[in-house]
Every structure is written in structure tokens, then in C-alpha cells.
Amino acid sequence: MKRREILKALSMVPLAGAIGNSGSLVQAVQAEPLSERDVFKEFGLRTFINASGYFTSLSGSLMQDEAVRAIRESANYFCRLDDVQDKVGARIAGLLHAESAMVTAGAFSALMLGMAGVLSGTDLKKVSKIPALDDTMKSEVILQKAHNDGYAHALSNCGVKLITVETREELENAIGEKTAMMYFINYQASLGKIQHEDWLQIARKHQIPTMIDMAADLPPKENLWKFHDMGFDLVCVSGGKFMRGPQSTGILSGKKELIAAARLNAPPRGSNIGRGMKVNKEEIFGLYFALEKFINTDQDKEWKMLEDRIAVIAKAAGSVPGVQTEVLPLLLINRIPTLNISWDKSKIKLENLSANLRNGSPSIEVMGGPGGSINVTTHMLKPEEVKIVAGRIREELSGALI
């Protein structure tokens, strides 16, 4: 046996002792492995080729191999959860140009825990009161009207009142003794009248903490540290999208004292609002190794690969008479090459291409586009799936020619 196998075997001594006198430790370690089980088949679940994107409803992204290996390795040993958050958080903070960081149960959890930390500080009595805020606690969060989307609910879950503004003058007038934080959503920046720098300048002037939500705003990878360098006190990002860590993870990073306060509102502690937001050691390690892989990946090379994949699908679809293809302009959120495929309805009779692809074999998920068209992305495709998607789309389109 190799040294590593012996060490693992020793950790199993109590179990091995139950085998009986006729068995030995070595025999226990070398026992036949459990037979492989096809979990999707066993539960009657449909799997599909993901040409849509890393959406939560589609189970996010496929984890990086490095993340999966980290999960498997760390599942074999015990470790104190706070120690894992300390060590891994310090590594993450270094990569993100932040003072401190923690792994959360998704970006929504990062928003809630960050908000709770701002409200409580390190006062355990205040920690135990959230979301039932008392008169000694600040209770208002200011955000732009255009930034008041569904995810701001993470903040109101902590008991705060959301104060929406549109202009700089309204922002100045809204700031008062109850203002706990100023909140900014990166992907909605172009819809608001106050941009990042002005938002931060006003917050600094009044000494108010700031938080930015950039959950799905990768790539570019520089966004991971851009907002820390800019001056935001807290930054929230998802771990299970383009980064390809566990879907159940996110990162809250920022000022040391605010992260320390956020952790008082999080597991493994109880009597707090975040007790249900557990992140186990396996997920924490998995997230870190996915993050490290993402940062070290050649971004330009990967982008070129995605564009080349889009070109393969565009060529196949465009070979059908009456079909138009267009690469859509990039958005701040889910910033990836996206192909729109539409067709002349006088030449092609096709009621629901998305449904046809979903119900076909193999099953393929795409996004619906305007006017019955479809949108296709390629970053979640395995290399061998690109031609499969291209072929199936061409097959459906050509088969519907009038």
C-alpha cells in the first residue's frame, strides 16, 4: 500500500474493527468498490446539452475538474469550518484585492450576510435581533430606482427599508441618521443616472458603507478586483456561473471589519439570520480551486474559442434558406458571445424551435429570442457537443422548409 492509502486506512480503524477477527485492515481498504449508479436514470431525470447558459434553473454550470477534485479530497477528512473560512477566505481576498473574504451560499446569501454585517457590526445582541431591528440600529438602504430589482429582496430580508432615488440631489436628500448602506447593482449601471464613481464619492463624503452586486458579471475576470480597487466596501459575486465553482456558492469580499461582522451572522453560529445558509468545507474548497483556475485561464484564448464555436453553429444554421444569424451585443450581465437565430416565416414553418430541440434526442436547451427566434451560447458546451448542436438546429430548420 502507498503511504497515502495507509493514512486513509488508519482513519477508518473504528469501522475496520467491526469486520471481525477474520478480516484485516488491508482487506477492508481493498474491498470491492460500490457498483456505479446512473443517478439520472435511476430517478428518471432528463439530461440535456446546455446551449442556453449558466442559469440557476438549469443547475448552473458544470464544475471545473479542479473543483470536483477538491470536493472529493476534502470530503475524506474533518476540519473546523471557521478555520477553513479563515484560510480560504484569506487566499480569496489576496486574489481579489480585498482586505478579507468569505464563501457564502450563493450571491444572494452574500447580499444578505453583507447587509446583516453592516447592521450588526460585531455586537452579538444586534446579530440576534436581525431582522427585527430596534431603535438603536440603522434601518435604511439607499439604491437607485433602476437598481431595485428582485435581488434587492436579499437586503429587505434583513429588516431594512429600501429608499429609491434617481438623481444626485435626491440621493443627498435621502441620506440621514438611519442610512445604513448605499447599494449598487453593476449590470443596471447604464439605466441609472448616478454612476459608480459619483455613488462612491457621495458615500465617502457621508461615511456610509457601500455594496455592489456583480453576481453574474463575469467575464472579464478583472471585474473580480475592479470594484475593490474602485472603493466599494463590499462586493458580491456568484461562484457557480462562468467561474464554474459549486452552484451553491458565492463570495462576499471587502473591508475586514465588515466581513468579520458578516461571519457573525453566518454558520456555524446560530441565533442569527444566516444560520440556514450553510456552506460546507467541500464547497468552500471547490469554490476556491474554481476561482483560481478561472483567474489563471488565458481569457483571450478562451474568448476566441467561444467565438469559434458560435461561428460553427451560425454557419450550419445559415446554410438553410431563409435563416438569419446575428451575434448579439454584449451585456454587462452574462457577458458571453450569444448567437440569435431567426427565420423567414414565409419560407420556414416552425412554431417552437426551442421545444423541438428540448424534446428531441439528444435534448438541447436554448434561450428563447424575440419573435419566436432562439438565442444560443456555447460556453457550457463540451467540445464534442458544438457540432451536435449545430447539426440539430440545421436539421430542425431544414425540415421545416415550406
Side-chain angles (χ1 to χ4, degrees):
M1 297 176 67
K2 296 180 181 178
R3 180 176 180 272
R4 182 173 186 144
E5 292 171 335
I6 293 173
L7 290 174
K8 286 187 178 180
L10 289 174
S11 70
M12 298 172 60
V13 167
L15 175 63
I19 297 173
N21 294 332
S22 60
S24 71
L25 183 57
V26 173
Q27 288 173 335
V29 174
Q30 294 179 341
E32 288 295 320
L34 293 174
S35 59
E36 292 293 331
R37 297 168 69 171
D38 186 333
V39 294
F40 294 104
K41 184 177 181 180
E42 181 175 331
F43 286 89
L45 292 167
R46 173 183 64 90
T47 61
F48 53 84
I49 294 174
N50 187 355
S52 179
Y54 40 63
F55 300 108
T56 298
S57 61
L58 300 182
S59 63
S61 60
L62 297 181
M63 286 186 287
Q64 300 276 10
D65 291 340
E66 290 80 355
V68 175
R69 285 197 294 269
I71 289 171
R72 287 176 176 169
E73 283 290 322
S74 58
N76 292 316
Y77 304 96
F78 288 102
C79 191
R80 290 189 177 277
L81 194 58
D82 273 334
D83 292 345
V84 180
Q85 283 280 23
D86 286 343
K87 299 294 186 181
V88 176
R91 287 271 195 101
I92 291 174
L95 293 175
L96 273 50
H97 302 188
E99 291 182 9
S100 187
M102 63 183 291
V103 179
T104 63
F108 197 90
S109 170
L111 294 173
M112 279 190 67
L113 293 176
M115 180 76 262
V118 168
L119 294 171
S120 69
T122 56
D123 187 330
L124 294 179
K125 289 184 178 180
K126 290 182 178 180
V127 168
S128 67
K129 290 179 180 178
I130 298 172
L133 309 183
D134 62 28
D135 293 338
T136 68
M137 303 170 73
K138 296 181 178 181
S139 59
E140 294 181 353
V141 173
I142 303 176
L143 67 162
Q144 295 182 71
K145 185 177 181 180
H147 294 203
N148 191 17
D149 65 359
Y151 295 105
H153 196 79
L155 310 180
S156 56
N157 281 350
C158 293
V160 300
K161 180 180 179 181
L162 302 180
I163 308 296
T164 57
V165 300
E166 291 189 83
T167 66
R168 183 177 179 124
E169 181 181 4
E170 288 177 355
L171 173 57
E172 290 276 7
N173 291 335
I175 294 172
E177 60 181 16
K178 292 184 179 181
T179 304
M181 189 176 76
M182 289 169 54
Y183 174 64
F184 197 96
I185 301 181
N186 186 57
Y187 84 91
Q188 300 282 53
S190 63
L191 301 180
K193 296 180 180 180
I194 310 171
Q195 295 306 300
H196 303 76
E197 292 80 3
D198 287 340
W199 192 259
L200 289 169
Q201 187 272 325
I202 295 172
R204 282 193 290 266
K205 173 183 171 183
H206 295 277
Q207 298 182 322
I208 298 172
T210 53
M211 174 191 283
I212 186 167
D213 176 0
M214 53 151 291
D217 302 354
L218 298 173
K221 60 186 175 185
E222 288 80 9
N223 275 359
L224 286 169
W225 49 85
K226 171 183 176 180
F227 302 110
H228 289 299
D229 294 346
M230 193 178 288
F232 280 93
D233 297 305
L234 290 170
V235 178
C236 306
V237 64
S238 173
K241 300 189 184 301
F242 202 92
M243 196 186 302
R244 292 178 57 193
Q247 169 69 359
S248 52
T249 61
I251 300 172
L252 175 67
S253 52
K255 297 297 184 183
K256 186 176 181 179
E257 66 275 10
L258 292 178
I259 300 300
R263 286 183 58 181
L264 291 178
N265 288 274
R269 282 149 289 279
S271 300
N272 57 34
I273 195 169
R275 175 61 180 174
M277 302 177 192
K278 290 183 180 179
V279 188
N280 59 29
K281 67 183 188 304
E282 293 85 0
E283 293 172 310
I284 295 172
F285 284 118
L287 181 279
Y288 174 76
F289 282 93
L291 171 66
E292 188 179 68
K293 175 66 179 293
F294 173 67
I295 290 177
N296 291 330
T297 296
D298 186 326
Q299 188 168 251
D300 294 336
K301 183 178 179 180
E302 185 174 32
W303 193 264
K304 177 65 165 55
M305 176 195 70
L306 296 179
E307 290 180 327
D308 289 346
R309 289 178 172 186
I310 287 288
V312 170
I313 297 173
K315 182 178 180 181
S319 67
V320 180
V323 173
Q324 299 84 41
T325 64
E326 176 190 9
V327 178
L328 299 177
L330 293 172
L331 303 173
L332 283 176
I333 191 171
N334 300 328
R335 188 180 176 85
I336 46 177
T338 302
L339 178 70
N340 175 258
I341 301 174
S342 60
W343 50 91
D344 186 338
K345 292 178 176 58
S346 68
K347 296 180 180 179
I348 298 176
K349 187 176 182 180
L350 193 57
E351 292 185 4
N352 195 330
L353 178 54
S354 296
N356 290 359
L357 293 170
R358 177 181 299 117
N359 297 325
S361 182
S363 178
I364 299 171
E365 285 285 348
V366 298
M367 292 181 284
S373 65
I374 64 169
N375 291 338
V376 176
T377 65
T378 62
H379 59 299
M380 289 294 103
L381 297 181
K382 300 172 183 177
E384 66 273 13
E385 292 174 341
V386 178
K387 289 185 178 180
I388 294 174
V389 172
R392 284 286 293 116
I393 291 175
R394 179 175 56 196
E395 179 184 6
E396 288 292 334
L397 290 168
S398 60
L401 282 168
I402 299 174

